[in-house]
Amino acid sequence: MGFPLVRFLEWSARHGGALLGYGVFLGVLLPPLAAATRDVVTPVVACLMTLVLLRVDFGQVLGYLRRPLLVAALLAWVLLACPLIVFALVRLLGLEGPLGGAVVIMATGCAATSSPAFARMVGLDGEISLVVAVLSTLLIPFTAPPLALGLMGIDLAISLTGLMGRLALVVGLPLVISLVIRRLAGPARLTTYGRSVDGAVVLLVVLYGFGVMDGLQAAILADPLWVAGGVALAFLGNFGLNLLTALAFLKPAGPRIALSAGLLSGNRNMALYLAVLPAATDARILMFFALCQFPLFLSPVLLRPVYDRLRARLIS
């Protein structure tokens, strides 16, 4: 039974973009499926982070860490500069209330844990994506809560220390588990089954996508204009941060790293917020985080042709 499972997981890795694209819509079209998987979002997020950490190539990671200024600049941009820029734009445009707050909170998020897999899907640098995704995830309990709770003054129904504690638990536990598994399995076995791990990551992201879409169909029927505006804002936030980051790092870091940085800056990890925020949080904020999954899941499909052309023009 092991070999068919391995082949299935490898197939999932090869068709990851399509699976993510279809999966994000199934949760909307099949409300019972979304409702049935809603309660597993938090453990799925923990498992997803554990598997992503298993794919760390520590040799190449250390290679990038020998460029501390680049890594520090990327982390400072993703975790600090982007939220402040988005906050300024939101205030300038007069986008107040829960939706404006949700956009700013989205920009405080760490890079999505799936960023390395997504980067490989579109032919970009998976290792720099991995470094920034891992380090920004480890730092998020210390940077996001004061920014998320302080910039817009939105009540998330949780204290600063409470949010930091929950984020630390959801981030720290997978790190410990991944280190234990790595110790028991050994690097050779992890390398052999690396593609299978990528496939499992894809399937877990799809399962997570089912759960976070719970209630979205009802919201569409009740207020389609609000949902349409939220989707448009989610795409604007994702692709806008992608473009802004790529332009900011194009000259100092080169096109390959700049494009990879753009992708991971646009794709923020809303899973952590959905996993740790209490049910008493404003429903419109939680709904916007769910809508952010559309540009996240669809980015490998939508942006692959763009990156192919840019690589041919800028990198070749």
Side-chain angles (χ1 to χ4, degrees), residues 242-255:
N242 188 331
L243 177 61
L244 185 64
T245 301
L247 291 175
F249 285 89
L250 184 60
K251 286 189 176 180

Side-chain angles (χ1 to χ4, degrees), residues 102-183:
V103 176
V104 176
I105 296 169
M106 178 272 292
T108 69
C110 59
T113 50
S114 53
S115 293
F118 281 19
R120 286 190 286 267
M121 286 181 197
V122 297
L124 294 180
D125 193 324
E127 296 307 323
I128 191 63
S129 300
L130 177 62
V131 172
V132 176
V134 170
L135 294 181
S136 66
T137 300
L138 296 177
L139 291 172
I140 201 69
F142 310 102
T143 62
L147 288 170
L149 294 173
L151 283 179
M152 293 293 288
I154 297 292
D155 182 12
L156 295 178
I158 189 172
S159 67
L160 175 64
T161 55
L163 182 56
M164 292 179 72
R166 289 191 182 191
L167 284 171
L169 179 62
V170 174
V171 169
L173 188 59
L175 176 62
V176 172
I177 294 174
S178 68
L179 291 175
V180 172
I181 294 175
R182 177 173 293 275
R183 177 77 175 182

Side-chain angles (χ1 to χ4, degrees), residues 215-227 287:
L216 182 54
Q217 187 183 97
I220 293 173
L221 296 175
D223 196 348
L225 290 180
W226 189 93
V227 174
M287 182 60 66

Side-chain angles (χ1 to χ4, degrees), residues 27 29 31 46-47 61 84 135 171 180 191 211 237 300-301:
L29 296 174
C47 291
V61 169
L84 295 175
L135 294 181
V171 169
V180 172
T191 300
V301 175

